[in-house]
Amino acid sequence: MRVPLSWLREYVDLPATETGRDVQAKLIDVGLEVETVERLGEGLKGPLVVGQVLTIEELEGFKKPIRFCTVDVGDANGTGEPQEIVCGARNFAVGDKVVVVLPGAVLPGDFKIAARKTYGKKSHGMICSGDELGMGDDGTHGIIVLPPEYEVGTDAIELLELVDEVLDIAVTPDRGYCLSMRGVARETATAYGLPLRDPALLDVPPPNAAGYPVQVADPIGCDRFTARTVTGLEPGARTPLWMQRRLQKAGMRPISLAVDITNYVMLELGQPLHAYDRTMVDGPIGVRRATPGEKLTTLDGTKRALDAGDLVITDNRGPIGLAGVMGGANTEIAAPVTDPETGELRGTTDVVIEAAHFDAIAIARTARRHKLSSEAAKRFERGVDPEAASAAAQRTVDLLVLLAGGTAGEGVTEVVSPRGPRTITIPANHPDKVAGVTYGRETVVRRLQQVGCDVYGQDELVVTVPSWRPDLSDPNDLAEEVIRLEGYENLPSTLPKPPAGRGLTERQRLHRRVGRVLAGAGYVEALNYPFTGSHVLDQLGIEPDDPRRSAVTLVNPLSDEEPDLRTTLIPGLLGALRRNYGRGSHDLALFETGPVFRATGDEKAASRLVVDRRPTDDEIASLDASLPQQPRRAAVVLTGAREQAGWWGEGRPAIWADAIEAGRVVAREAGVELIVRQDQHAPFHPGRCAALLALVDGEEVLVGNAGELHPRVIKAMALPERTCAMEIDLDRLERAGAGALKAPTISSFPVATQDVALIVDGGVPAADVEAALRDGAGELLESLRLFDVFTGEQTGAGKKSLAYALRFRAPDRTLTAEEATAARDAAVAAAVERTGAVLRG
């Protein structure tokens, strides 16, 4: 909302010394977002006067039309002689009154005017357009042609109100009343503690049976409709300069007198209006929902197919306007046209004025459905004062009679759905509790009265909310009004006092360690939105009965394509990998930690909690019962080179083993050694997929999967070949861990290394062989590592050789060769007994 300071002063007697910056600071203090203060005419210096064109000579021989004019500027040039000026514009004629800037003047932008020779003539000044004076668009894109009543030599700076300050206010959705001069003036009066001259306080005649017939079929969509008529308008009546300038400063373009008046009243009172050419309206005006298949051509010339949810204005022929959004072209106010035969000026002479109140949600949906954001819709969807409709209609009628020579019709139509005043009961000390400041009852009552409320009661206040504040609906809204008017800057700044001795939980420490260790391993964290859709699960090859299909669907998703909360972290990471790969980064290793959401079907409907007190334990428990399971997970994806090539070597690509190692790295942070077994699990390649297991209470529990993605998944998601991934459940890892990590005991005695190669059947998992070796080796075993897998003629058909490096060490002595050998033999014996292994060689 653009607010000219000169216009604002009509409603509030601001001190003469107050500048736009001063008013900006005051309005910001009471909660309005005043973004900028534009100083119109800054640097402008006269002489800038009204002139009359005496002669026009067309200059020939130039690429564009050029005219040499003589203009009477009175005594403004010091001689009284006509001023000779060269001008290229063609929208004026001999006898027209124009705006002339004389040598010595300075226009906005530090444009200095001097006499100069151009096109073979000497030009002593310039005939001005609106753009050159910083006035904005007046619709002509040419020279300003003034009405004939202005005298030659009049100071045009004062006449055109070129020097002013305009406050640009970003009006938030809950403060729709500030999309009007009336609303901003009320806030200004409150901020300065001055009285307000309310422009809506007008004498309005009561409704009568002689009014224009109106039929409202949807009283919920339209609870108030005021109609007035004005006849005998002069088609050639022009919008006065003062009104044109106010519209331009407020950011609107002057169009025609009737339209300009409705726009002016809308800016003044905040009530959108519409003027219909009465001769083009067939029968009573109606308000109803559109019928599917109906069409309407709006004022912007677009033919629109209407929806059943659209609220429309109708006559006997059908829709003539989108209610609260835009009028129809078939009842548009006609521009004045001169009859070529009689020379008579013809145009709209009789109008019907509509001032209605429409449902905010209905208007907002219609505006978005048709992608049609109008000034009217912007106000209706934020809330318009329903009680201002009759005053706005009266103000429009008064201006049409005054400026267009019309006659107000005696009929007054008021179709009103009865509604009672809105009241809120609030304890007098409620704002004190919300702000943590003692205001006292008198201050609370005074501030609520300043925003237009009627207040009764002592300790318990009964507050009647003003009609222009639909956003005030509960005690906290009223508390906010008191707090903002008392000043947010006066609220004390206090920090909460946390109880001593409490830091991060062990769960939080684990999550942080996981992030640090993956970053240290060369992975880059990628934070993704937790939203997904079923089509992504289809691309991943997830079966219909897979638990990952049990998604929580949002009621109001950001995107219709991603209405669900994620059940796995992998799709988001793959999307990030695909985007980065497409932008030229081919060696990628990304990770993410975060919750996934698994619906169990046992969730209860969530209850809406109160906000004026702390919820009870039962209410909190009920809310918790409505939530799905939210296990926290870690996942990685990688592609390209895992080790870069260079002078040090050839490097190597990322493979499935790197994804498995990422799982091991994460598990070690929880003090868990993973058991790795072959698995088949979407979206992984069935021959390159590993199940990551951990011992929980002595039983193997699946905690994650890792491996190379299936070729079909890679093709469906347009991923690089051989992309690998890993996902692991951090909550299960925490349960598998032994609690807080303990620092390892480092022995100062030397290590004894023993290697062993075992031949087993090809179907025996290496994890089973490793477990047997660990159990058999006993307490002296420090570490066990598989360093070679071999198949061939030497091992026999269906056999494989697994080579392990065993490290033995005692904490209190140096092991002898006999002790190390005995431990190795015991490990081999256990493997032979449990897996059928044969010692190779």
Side-chain angles (χ1 to χ4, degrees), residues 526-778:
L527 300 178
N528 300 291
Y529 286 117
F531 309 121
T532 187
S534 59
H535 67 284
V536 177
L537 300 180
D538 294 338
Q539 291 175 335
L540 293 177
I542 307 296
E543 296 294 333
D545 59 347
D546 193 291
R548 287 171 289 181
R549 289 281 185 176
S550 301
V552 178
T553 302
L554 299 174
V555 175
N556 55 341
L558 294 179
S559 169
D560 292 337
E561 295 182 356
E562 296 181 332
D564 303 330
L565 291 174
R566 66 189 179 191
T567 57
T568 169
L569 298 180
I570 289 180
L573 281 174
L574 292 178
L577 182 140
R578 182 176 59 245
R579 286 191 299 273
N580 284 276
Y581 191 88
R583 294 169 183 171
S585 299
H586 294 164
D587 302 322
L588 295 165
L590 308 178
F591 84 92
E592 182 177 12
T593 62
V596 297
F597 307 86
R598 295 287 183 89
T600 62
D602 299 329
E603 294 84 5
K604 300 178 180 178
S607 57
R608 187 169 183 176
L609 299 184
V610 296
V611 296
D612 58 344
R613 60 172 172 81
R614 185 189 185 279
T616 65
D617 292 342
D618 290 341
E619 289 172 334
I620 295 176
S622 174
L623 187 65
D624 289 339
S626 68
L627 299 177
Q629 293 181 355
Q630 300 179 49
R632 195 166 181 87
R633 297 196 165 190
V636 305
V637 294
L638 62 164
T639 190
R642 187 63 180 142
E643 294 178 4
Q644 295 290 338
W647 57 266
W648 53 85
E650 296 181 356
R652 69 174 183 84
I655 60 172
W656 55 269
D658 293 301
I660 296 174
E661 181 59 24
R664 286 196 171 104
V665 166
V666 171
R668 291 188 191 111
E669 291 302 312
V672 176
E673 282 295 331
L674 291 180
I675 301 169
V676 180
R677 298 186 185 279
Q678 187 175 3
D679 196 10
Q680 293 189 17
H681 185 75
F684 298 101
H685 191 298
R688 296 168 188 162
C689 173
L692 308 180
L693 304 109
L695 291 176
V696 178
D697 298 329
E699 295 185 3
E700 291 185 2
V701 174
L702 180 70
V703 295
N705 288 93
E708 181 181 310
L709 296 184
H710 197 289
R712 285 198 296 267
V713 174
I714 290 175
K715 182 178 180 180
M717 301 190 73
L719 298 170
E721 292 184 1
R722 298 299 178 91
T723 297
C724 301
M726 181 279 298
E727 185 172 21
I728 196 166
D729 191 314
L730 297 181
D731 293 341
R732 292 183 182 178
L733 278 182
E734 187 180 8
R735 291 197 296 271
L741 291 180
K742 296 181 180 179
T745 301
I746 305 299
S747 174
S748 60
F749 295 94
V751 67
T753 302
Q754 296 276 354
D755 292 345
V756 59
L758 301 173
I759 296 177
V760 296
D761 290 337
V764 175
D768 291 349
V769 178
E770 182 177 327
L773 290 173
R774 286 185 183 279
D775 292 343

Side-chain angles (χ1 to χ4, degrees), residues 31 104 112 120 141 148 231 254 256 260 271 283 309 336 348 369 476 489-490 501 531 563 573 671 718 729 770 779 810:
K112 297 178 181 178
H141 301 289
T231 59
S256 64
D260 291 346
Q271 168 67 52
T348 298
R369 187 181 297 119
N476 285 316
E489 70 278 5
N490 296 323
F531 309 121
L573 281 174
D729 191 314
E770 182 177 327
E779 296 181 353

Side-chain angles (χ1 to χ4, degrees), residues 310-522:
D310 293 336
L311 201 63
V312 293
I313 310 297
T314 65
D315 64 5
N316 289 337
R317 298 166 298 177
I320 59 173
L322 272 177
V325 180
M326 184 174 286
N330 55 349
T331 57
E332 182 180 6
I333 301 296
V337 178
T338 302
D339 189 312
E341 296 181 0
T342 63
E344 180 184 358
L345 195 62
R346 293 185 177 179
T348 298
T349 57
D350 300 341
V351 297
V352 180
I353 306 300
E354 166 206 307
H357 184 261
F358 301 111
D359 177 61
I361 295 176
I363 301 307
R365 287 175 175 169
T366 296
R368 284 157 179 74
R369 187 181 297 119
H370 294 281
K371 297 180 175 60
L372 190 58
S373 179
S374 64
E375 291 292 329
K378 186 190 303 182
R379 285 163 173 80
F380 276 123
E381 65 187 23
R382 286 166 172 78
V384 168
D385 181 5
E387 302 298 326
S390 56
Q394 182 63 46
R395 176 69 165 145
T396 305
V397 169
D398 292 343
L399 288 172
L400 284 171
V401 171
L402 175 66
L403 302 177
T407 301
E410 294 181 358
V412 178
T413 302
E414 286 275 3
V415 179
V416 181
S417 297
R419 62 162 65 189
R422 291 181 298 119
T423 60
I424 302 172
T425 301
I426 174 176
N429 63 348
H430 183 67
D432 301 4
K433 294 180 179 180
V434 174
V437 176
T438 302
Y439 293 123
R441 178 187 177 281
E442 291 184 2
T443 299
V444 171
V445 171
R446 176 171 55 86
R447 289 304 192 185
L448 292 178
Q449 289 174 340
Q450 284 180 332
V451 299
C453 297
D454 292 330
V455 186
Y456 304 95
Q458 292 299 319
D459 294 338
E460 197 81 9
L461 302 179
V462 179
V463 181
T464 302
V465 177
S467 57
W468 59 84
R469 292 300 302 272
D471 59 302
L472 301 182
S473 58
D474 60 52
N476 285 316
D477 294 331
L478 300 179
E480 181 185 359
E481 293 299 299
V482 175
I483 295 168
R484 75 175 178 89
L485 294 180
E486 282 295 304
Y488 291 119
E489 70 278 5
N490 296 323
L491 294 177
S493 297
T494 57
L495 293 174
K497 296 179 180 179
R502 294 186 183 179
L504 298 176
T505 65
E506 185 56 35
R507 184 170 184 263
Q508 291 169 329
R509 293 178 188 274
L510 172 61
H511 295 162
R512 292 196 178 188
R513 290 199 308 269
V514 167
R516 283 195 295 267
V517 73
L518 287 175

